Amino acid sequence: MMQPNFEHGQFVEVEPGVELYYEYFGKAKGDPLLFVPGITLSTGVFEKQVAHFAKKHKVAVMDPRSQGRSSKVHYGNTYEQHGVDLKKVIEHAGLKNVTLIGWSSGAADVWSYVDQFGTGNLK
């Protein structure tokens, strides 16, 4: 199992009382990648992908709202809100020209981001 990268792990408050957790791994040379897990999963699901891609890229993994180390709330657990949350993580992390990689329902979170905010900052 991927060890948490608490040295570079951070929380971003996406709304009052709701914090999302994300971590950085790897080098900052290549364009960044951001992995988004499916429902009920957390950053650890991408252990092998992080190990591979962090050799040449800055890699970020996140715990969506109500998952992993992020705040557990009974509201905002929709794809639309997850798209908004994803935008706030990207901004807080300062990710530019980022590739979003969503697995399972994480792909719907990525689609929601694109639907609401376009592809201007995406590779």
Side-chain angles (χ1 to χ4, degrees):
M1 187 76 151
M2 180 174 65
Q3 294 299 310
N5 188 9
F6 294 116
E7 179 181 338
H8 298 287
Q10 296 187 33
F11 287 91
V12 56
E13 187 174 56
V14 294
E15 65 182 65
V18 180
E19 294 184 322
L20 302 185
Y21 181 78
Y22 67 95
E23 299 176 0
Y24 286 123
F25 294 88
K27 301 176 182 178
K29 289 182 182 178
D31 288 325
L33 309 175
L34 174 57
F35 288 86
V36 184
I39 195 164
T40 74
L41 300 173
S42 66
T43 58
V45 74
F46 294 116
E47 174 183 6
K48 293 186 188 289
Q49 290 80 6
V50 168
H52 175 78
F53 288 107
K55 294 173 188 171
K56 294 184 180 179
H57 295 272
K58 179 180 186 177
V59 177
V61 291
M62 65 174 285
D63 289 336
R65 174 185 297 242
S66 298
Q67 295 173 222
R69 291 176 208 84
S70 292
S71 298
K72 310 301 185 271
V73 293
H74 297 286
Y75 56 91
N77 295 305
T78 65
Y79 296 126
E80 182 179 41
Q81 183 60 54
H82 280 205
V84 172
D85 290 349
L86 186 53
K87 182 177 193 303
K88 292 178 182 179
V89 169
I90 290 168
E91 290 173 348
H92 188 265
L95 300 176
K96 304 290 183 207
N97 202 29
V98 63
T99 298
L100 299 177
I101 301 134
W103 181 62
S104 188
S105 63
D109 296 348
V110 169
W111 170 247
S112 176
Y113 171 91
V114 171
D115 187 47
Q116 294 179 75
F117 306 108
T119 60
N121 188 34
L122 303 182
K123 183 167 183 178

